[in-house]
Amino acid sequence: MLVEAKKDIFSQLIKEATHDELVWMNGFLAGLLDQRSLAAGKAGAMAGGSSSAEVAGSAQIDKLTLLYASETGNAKSVATKFAAATKKRGIKTKLVSVEQYKLTDLAKEKYLLLVISTQGDGEPPITAVKFYNAVHDANLKLDKLQFGVMALGDSSYPLFCQAGEDVDKQLELRGGTRKVPLQKCDTDYASYADSWLDAALGLLAGSDGGAAAPSAKALAKAPAAGSHKKIYEGTVITNFNLNDRDSAKRTHHIEIEAEDLLYAPGDALGLVPPNPKAVVEEILSLTEVDAQSTIAWRDQTHSIEELLSLKAQLLYLPERVVRKYADIAGQEIPDTRMSLVDLLKIYPLKNNQEDFQQVLQILEPIAPRLYSISSSPEAHGDEIHITVARDQFYVGDKKETGLCSGYLIDVPVETKVQFYIHPNKGFKLPPEDKDVIMIGPGTGVAPFRSFLFERDAAGAEGRNWLFFGDQHIASDFLYQTEIQAFLETGVLTEFNGAFSRDQQNKVYVQDKMRERGAELFEWLENGAYIYICGAKEPMSFDVEKALTEIIATQKELSFVEATKYLDALKEEGRFLKDVY
Ligand SMILES: Cc1cc2nc3c(=O)[nH]c(=O)nc-3n(C[C@H](O)[C@H](O)[C@H](O)COP(=O)(O)OP(=O)(O)OC[C@H]3O[C@@H](n4cnc5c(N)ncnc54)[C@H](O)[C@@H]3O)c2cc1C
Ligand SMILES: Cc1cc2nc3c(=O)[nH]c(=O)nc-3n(C[C@H](O)[C@H](O)[C@H](O)COP(=O)(O)O)c2cc1C
């Protein structure tokens, strides 16, 4: 097809391209072809002919409701981009979060596109719970509705895009017409979102104007279940404890070296931890299976040992898996979470080896864990850093350690690890001239370390203020040396530390914020962006309450009015949270 000289250039180009460059080229060429065929169609029409592309150009819906259900901002950012594109095409577009959406309007809608993420263990985002419950109401009648759902998710989770799938199904059950097939998207959704919108608009318009054909072609560009996220192979090059010996905590700074890293400050690193060796060995011994025998599991073949070590969740199984185990074992088991080892010991299988093959099939993939990236692409090149706190909890009176944090804290240098980038569009740095207030106690400091290195490397002129907190200044001041250096060089304009257990009364970041309320408010009035990262409960709620009180005091508003002020900041994208 190509002459030799062009073929050489083409081969060279794709040989040297990274995955993301290939994705970009793919999209670029598809767009170019669409434009050319549209132009050819128009030329044909002008000459008296007609083409399907021309029909696509003329048939268009006039009004659209674009809903989004988002927790960390990705679905919101996709829907916002969609709204800009549809408005540009002259479609009257109502863009609204399901949280603010008047549920009684649903029955009146004609054209609706919904972008919804999945959170937790296959659940809708918190902002979508009311909407999610409403569409499950059998009395809801949506006979007029023509809809399409784009479901954002992560294929590493056991229940991929479950919330989107549920809502899509319910909208149809309530009488709506699914004009656009459900699009499940992995974390690489950004690379095919635009072509999905093209397709969706064409398919919605198809009901009135018969313009579905060319747009269905565009839909084909969006992968069926989007499993193209880039998996990086990295090597652990540093792993040390940031807490001092006397601390009750362990928080590790881990550096991983990898090639062609593509991320932005505010993103997280996702990885699937292996199961502990002792657990795998115990299961092999209890079931007496041949560890090296192979098994087909979720479209792939593994040895049983590999499946148990790296793929299948063995600890703290969800109730739904325990119920399936009870069916296989033919035993009554309470509806509770348990480990596979406990199930095998307390409720033994009747035909050990035979039944165990069935048990393997009901196991779910190990869910990935996310860690805020604490390095900066500008400052750290081929390294990616994370800040991992050991998660400890009691089971009865036994102290246990979380699977992934336990693994990472002990992971030796030179270990090869696989990971991916979990984008967080809702937690990004502002333009360089803007001021930034960062509230990040504990591991919440991680993305702010990234922000500070990035702003320093970029020479950003905006001011930076960090609130950090932990238990003791002597043992728990994470990244103390770096923070002090940032203060000395002026990268950090302001710093406040809250060390809760260094005095009789506990002092937290929100107390430090209140102490500095007047200046903090002045920064806000001056256009500063404010960020919270770290524990959702109780920290993020306490900090938000303190912030509202500061605004109320400084601006002499009621608490309700101050909440509205904060809501306006959220709406402007100047109050951002990344909490877990
Ligand atoms: C966007 C995002 C960013 C994050 N960033 C960071 C970060 O920068 N640093 C960081 O340290 N963490 C971060 N986290 C948290 C991190 O992803 C993990 O959730 C955390 O490390 C715990 O994982 P684990 O595998 O160690 O614990 P798991 O084994 O998953 O256990 C988690 C919890 O489940 C319960 N549990 C588990 N097993 C049992 C059992 N047998 N019986 C009873 N209860 C049980 C316990 O409550 C336990 O605390 C982030 C999370 C998100 C969503
Ligand atoms: C704590 C957590 C749990 C998640 N659980 C799931 C899940 O069960 N299934 C899934 O497909 N995706 C899951 N995801 C991935 C998100 O759906 C995905 O990152 C999405 O882009 C987030 O969009 P949002 O920012 O609009 O909420 C989870 C993400 C997080 C942070």
Side-chain angles (χ1 to χ4, degrees), residues 316 369-372 387-389 391 393 395 402-406 443 446 578 580:
Y316 205 39
R369 273 45 166 196
L370 300 179
Y371 295 92
S372 306
T387 312
V388 180
D391 184 0
F393 51 93
V395 180
L403 175 64
C404 193
S405 57
T443 53
D578 182 16
Y580 42 87

Tab-separated table of all heavy atoms in Angstrom, residues 316 369-372 387-389 391 393 395 402-406 443 446 578 580, ligand 1:
chain	number	residue	atom	x	y	z
A	316	TYR	N	-10.116	-11.847	53.418
A	316	TYR	CA	-11.256	-10.968	53.661
A	316	TYR	C	-12.215	-10.977	52.459
A	316	TYR	O	-12.562	-9.936	51.896
A	316	TYR	CB	-10.724	-9.546	53.909
A	316	TYR	CG	-11.626	-8.662	54.741
A	316	TYR	CD1	-12.315	-9.159	55.836
A	316	TYR	CD2	-11.763	-7.306	54.431
A	316	TYR	CE1	-13.126	-8.332	56.596
A	316	TYR	CE2	-12.567	-6.473	55.189
A	316	TYR	CZ	-13.249	-6.995	56.265
A	316	TYR	OH	-14.050	-6.168	57.017
A	369	ARG	N	-4.715	-1.327	44.800
A	369	ARG	CA	-4.672	-0.274	45.823
A	369	ARG	C	-4.057	0.954	45.165
A	369	ARG	O	-3.157	0.820	44.323
A	369	ARG	CB	-3.789	-0.684	46.989
A	369	ARG	CG	-4.412	-1.493	48.123
A	369	ARG	CD	-5.286	-2.605	47.756
A	369	ARG	NE	-5.568	-3.494	48.886
A	369	ARG	CZ	-6.070	-4.704	48.772
A	369	ARG	NH1	-6.372	-5.201	47.579
A	369	ARG	NH2	-6.295	-5.446	49.843
A	370	LEU	N	-4.531	2.110	45.587
A	370	LEU	CA	-4.026	3.359	45.005
A	370	LEU	C	-3.162	4.104	46.013
A	370	LEU	O	-3.460	4.086	47.210
A	370	LEU	CB	-5.196	4.260	44.604
A	370	LEU	CG	-6.171	3.696	43.576
A	370	LEU	CD1	-7.282	4.696	43.302
A	370	LEU	CD2	-5.458	3.352	42.281
A	371	TYR	N	-2.119	4.751	45.523
A	371	TYR	CA	-1.262	5.587	46.372
A	371	TYR	C	-1.000	6.898	45.640
A	371	TYR	O	-0.565	6.877	44.479
A	371	TYR	CB	0.053	4.850	46.701
A	371	TYR	CG	-0.242	3.620	47.540
A	371	TYR	CD1	-0.448	2.376	46.938
A	371	TYR	CD2	-0.429	3.735	48.914
A	371	TYR	CE1	-0.807	1.266	47.699
A	371	TYR	CE2	-0.790	2.628	49.683
A	371	TYR	CZ	-0.977	1.401	49.070
A	371	TYR	OH	-1.352	0.315	49.827
A	372	SER	N	-1.283	8.022	46.304
A	372	SER	CA	-1.027	9.328	45.691
A	372	SER	C	0.441	9.397	45.302
A	372	SER	O	1.312	9.053	46.113
A	372	SER	CB	-1.294	10.456	46.692
A	372	SER	OG	-2.580	10.346	47.222
A	387	THR	N	4.091	7.305	49.058
A	387	THR	CA	4.267	7.473	50.500
A	387	THR	C	3.243	6.563	51.164
A	387	THR	O	2.043	6.845	51.125
A	387	THR	CB	3.998	8.951	50.867
A	387	THR	OG1	4.732	9.774	49.952
A	387	THR	CG2	4.386	9.260	52.297
A	388	VAL	N	3.712	5.452	51.719
A	388	VAL	CA	2.784	4.391	52.129
A	388	VAL	C	2.766	4.222	53.647
A	388	VAL	O	3.807	3.946	54.255
A	388	VAL	CB	3.195	3.045	51.479
A	388	VAL	CG1	2.248	1.924	51.895
A	388	VAL	CG2	3.238	3.180	49.963
A	389	ALA	N	1.588	4.373	54.241
A	389	ALA	CA	1.453	4.151	55.688
A	389	ALA	C	1.044	2.706	55.932
A	389	ALA	O	0.158	2.190	55.243
A	389	ALA	CB	0.387	5.082	56.250
A	391	ASP	N	-1.043	-0.024	57.251
A	391	ASP	CA	-2.428	-0.046	57.736
A	391	ASP	C	-2.558	-1.192	58.739
A	391	ASP	O	-2.397	-2.351	58.378
A	391	ASP	CB	-3.360	-0.274	56.533
A	391	ASP	CG	-4.831	-0.205	56.927
A	391	ASP	OD1	-5.124	0.019	58.111
A	391	ASP	OD2	-5.683	-0.380	56.037
A	393	PHE	N	-4.854	-3.050	61.951
A	393	PHE	CA	-6.198	-3.137	62.523
A	393	PHE	C	-6.283	-4.412	63.350
A	393	PHE	O	-5.439	-5.310	63.209
A	393	PHE	CB	-7.249	-3.139	61.400
A	393	PHE	CG	-6.980	-4.153	60.315
A	393	PHE	CD1	-7.535	-5.417	60.375
A	393	PHE	CD2	-6.133	-3.848	59.249
A	393	PHE	CE1	-7.277	-6.364	59.388
A	393	PHE	CE2	-5.867	-4.794	58.256
A	393	PHE	CZ	-6.433	-6.053	58.328
A	395	VAL	N	-8.202	-7.866	64.495
A	395	VAL	CA	-9.220	-8.884	64.230
A	395	VAL	C	-9.275	-9.680	65.537
A	395	VAL	O	-8.326	-10.387	65.872
A	395	VAL	CB	-8.839	-9.781	63.037
A	395	VAL	CG1	-9.922	-10.830	62.794
A	395	VAL	CG2	-8.606	-8.949	61.779
A	402	GLY	N	-2.554	-4.576	56.778
A	402	GLY	CA	-3.209	-4.607	55.472
A	402	GLY	C	-2.335	-5.294	54.430
A	402	GLY	O	-1.104	-5.274	54.520
A	403	LEU	N	-2.983	-5.881	53.433
A	403	LEU	CA	-2.265	-6.690	52.441
A	403	LEU	C	-1.233	-5.860	51.671
A	403	LEU	O	-0.057	-6.210	51.598
A	403	LEU	CB	-3.289	-7.301	51.463
A	403	LEU	CG	-2.702	-8.076	50.293
A	403	LEU	CD1	-1.955	-9.308	50.781
A	403	LEU	CD2	-3.793	-8.478	49.301
A	404	CYS	N	-1.666	-4.751	51.091
A	404	CYS	CA	-0.770	-4.031	50.183
A	404	CYS	C	0.250	-3.187	50.943
A	404	CYS	O	1.434	-3.187	50.606
A	404	CYS	CB	-1.587	-3.150	49.245
A	404	CYS	SG	-0.611	-2.523	47.890
A	405	SER	N	-0.225	-2.486	51.987
A	405	SER	CA	0.737	-1.654	52.720
A	405	SER	C	1.773	-2.553	53.388
A	405	SER	O	2.964	-2.216	53.432
A	405	SER	CB	0.023	-0.750	53.726
A	405	SER	OG	-0.749	-1.508	54.625
A	406	GLY	N	1.337	-3.726	53.871
A	406	GLY	CA	2.276	-4.672	54.485
A	406	GLY	C	3.314	-5.134	53.471
A	406	GLY	O	4.515	-5.195	53.762
A	443	THR	N	-0.302	10.770	55.377
A	443	THR	CA	0.076	10.520	53.982
A	443	THR	C	-0.613	11.493	53.030
A	443	THR	O	-0.318	11.497	51.837
A	443	THR	CB	-0.275	9.077	53.557
A	443	THR	OG1	-1.656	8.848	53.859
A	443	THR	CG2	0.587	8.060	54.266
A	446	ALA	N	1.435	13.497	50.562
A	446	ALA	CA	2.085	12.928	49.369
A	446	ALA	C	1.888	13.764	48.093
A	446	ALA	O	2.873	14.165	47.461
A	446	ALA	CB	1.621	11.488	49.163
A	578	ASP	N	-8.960	15.140	47.696
A	578	ASP	CA	-8.577	13.788	47.301
A	578	ASP	C	-8.477	13.010	48.608
A	578	ASP	O	-7.425	12.975	49.245
A	578	ASP	CB	-7.219	13.820	46.577
A	578	ASP	CG	-6.807	12.433	46.104
A	578	ASP	OD1	-7.668	11.544	46.056
A	578	ASP	OD2	-5.615	12.249	45.783
A	580	TYR	N	-9.566	9.581	51.222
A	580	TYR	CA	-9.800	8.142	51.135
A	580	TYR	C	-9.956	7.514	52.506
A	580	TYR	O	-9.704	8.156	53.498
A	580	TYR	CB	-8.638	7.471	50.381
A	580	TYR	CG	-7.254	7.982	50.751
A	580	TYR	CD1	-6.546	7.445	51.828
A	580	TYR	CD2	-6.663	9.037	50.037
A	580	TYR	CE1	-5.283	7.919	52.161
A	580	TYR	CE2	-5.398	9.508	50.369
A	580	TYR	CZ	-4.715	8.946	51.431
A	580	TYR	OH	-3.469	9.416	51.764
B	1	LIG	C1	-7.241	7.854	45.802
B	1	LIG	C2	-6.511	7.151	46.925
B	1	LIG	C3	-5.250	7.566	47.286
B	1	LIG	C4	-4.578	6.933	48.329
B	1	LIG	N1	-3.331	7.362	48.673
B	1	LIG	C5	-2.662	6.776	49.681
B	1	LIG	C6	-1.349	7.216	50.046
B	1	LIG	O1	-0.794	8.148	49.459
B	1	LIG	N2	-0.725	6.562	51.061
B	1	LIG	C7	-1.322	5.527	51.741
B	1	LIG	O2	-0.697	4.975	52.646
B	1	LIG	N3	-2.561	5.093	51.412
B	1	LIG	C8	-3.230	5.677	50.398
B	1	LIG	N4	-4.480	5.216	50.047
B	1	LIG	C9	-5.024	4.031	50.744
B	1	LIG	C10	-4.500	2.750	50.068
B	1	LIG	O3	-5.000	2.666	48.745
B	1	LIG	C11	-4.931	1.460	50.772
B	1	LIG	O4	-6.318	1.489	50.951
B	1	LIG	C12	-4.246	1.261	52.111
B	1	LIG	O5	-2.836	1.169	51.944
B	1	LIG	C13	-4.753	-0.038	52.775
B	1	LIG	O6	-4.550	-1.103	51.897
B	1	LIG	P1	-4.035	-2.517	52.430
B	1	LIG	O7	-4.038	-3.457	51.286
B	1	LIG	O8	-2.784	-2.352	53.189
B	1	LIG	O9	-5.174	-2.909	53.443
B	1	LIG	P2	-6.363	-3.965	53.205
B	1	LIG	O10	-5.856	-5.326	53.359
B	1	LIG	O11	-7.044	-3.607	51.953
B	1	LIG	O12	-7.294	-3.592	54.426
B	1	LIG	C14	-7.994	-2.382	54.423
B	1	LIG	C15	-8.976	-2.359	55.574
B	1	LIG	O13	-9.897	-3.444	55.429
B	1	LIG	C16	-10.217	-3.995	56.689
B	1	LIG	N5	-9.757	-5.399	56.745
B	1	LIG	C17	-8.870	-6.012	55.941
B	1	LIG	N6	-8.734	-7.305	56.287
B	1	LIG	C18	-9.548	-7.524	57.333
B	1	LIG	C19	-9.857	-8.649	58.132
B	1	LIG	N7	-9.281	-9.818	57.940
B	1	LIG	N8	-10.762	-8.491	59.113
B	1	LIG	C20	-11.348	-7.311	59.348
B	1	LIG	N9	-11.099	-6.204	58.628
B	1	LIG	C21	-10.215	-6.304	57.636
B	1	LIG	C22	-9.491	-3.147	57.712
B	1	LIG	O14	-10.365	-2.131	58.135
B	1	LIG	C23	-8.350	-2.546	56.947
B	1	LIG	O15	-7.927	-1.315	57.505
B	1	LIG	C24	-5.179	5.848	49.018
B	1	LIG	C25	-6.451	5.429	48.642
B	1	LIG	C26	-7.116	6.060	47.613
B	1	LIG	C27	-8.494	5.590	47.227
